[in-house]
Amino acid sequence: MEQYAGTLEQQVEEKTKRFMDEKRRGEEILSGLLPKFVARMLNKGHSIAPETFPSVTIYFSHLEGFDDMIAATNSPAEMTLILNSFYVACDSVIETMDVYKVETVGDAYMVVSGLPVPNGSHHADIISAMSITLMEKIRRLTFPTLPQRSYELRIGINSGPCVAGIIGLKLPRYCLFGDTVNVASRMESSGEGNTIAHHN
């Protein structure tokens, strides 16, 4: 009987440890999809209502020559390696700054500072410094399958109010809405390579 109790106790401990490991992995994945503050609130069972932030700075960028890059690649796998190199380079810069990467689509990169935890009036300075650092890093970056060419970022930034909230249940995203977002996007799309277009 004692041996059976000992074996049962060991099995319970092992299953509890596996459960806790899986729970921690799930929380880490959620923290990678959402701002850490928001992920913590969701993990505690709190709902997140859309919130208006009076002052943030939005960043959009596009890799100049991306269409040429697509044409020069031999396969989707090669394009995936190139995009991963680009994102890893960008992520290595932003992970040290008070910013949140909102989304990436193709070569488009969207970042915000000033939410979900407001940082006073520092968001514009933070995004400006990040923009300059990213431009320099990407200009020096060589892609594994296209080593003979250098690329430039086309950047648009804008400061002002915006609304942020969680969209979806299966793969929740923290999305931003408002004129500040739209203007930053237009500044990027109408800009030129190796420049930062901003709206006053």
Side-chain angles (χ1 to χ4, degrees), residues 50-144:
E51 186 175 355
T52 300
F53 293 88
S55 188
V56 302
T57 300
I58 309 287
Y59 164 103
F60 278 95
S61 68
H62 170 76
L63 192 59
E64 279 289 298
F66 182 68
D67 294 337
D68 296 336
M69 186 185 292
I70 292 172
T73 57
N74 295 318
S75 69
E78 185 180 357
M79 191 70 238
T80 302
L81 291 173
I82 290 169
L83 277 174
N84 188 55
S85 297
F86 171 64
Y87 287 143
V88 166
C90 293
D91 289 349
S92 72
V93 170
I94 72 165
E95 70 185 4
T96 63
M97 302 187 162
D98 184 15
V99 299
Y100 171 67
K101 179 171 76 171
V102 181
E103 68 180 350
T104 55
V105 178
D107 67 314
Y109 202 76
M110 181 184 180
V111 177
V112 63
S113 182
L115 65 80
V117 179
N119 56 11
S121 60
H122 301 294
H123 49 84
D125 292 337
I126 291 167
I127 290 289
S128 297
M130 181 198 77
S131 299
I132 292 167
T133 304
L134 282 171
M135 279 194 328
E136 292 169 357
K137 184 153 192 139
I138 298 306
R139 202 174 23 236
R140 291 190 314 266
L141 183 67
T142 56
F143 295 100

Side-chain angles (χ1 to χ4, degrees), residues 167-189:
I167 304 297
L169 294 174
K170 281 278 192 195
L171 185 61
R173 301 302 301 166
Y174 191 68
C175 297
L176 310 182
F177 303 95
D179 288 341
T180 303
V181 177
N182 298 334
V183 170
S185 177
R186 283 195 297 273
M187 297 307 296
E188 176 273 311
S189 61

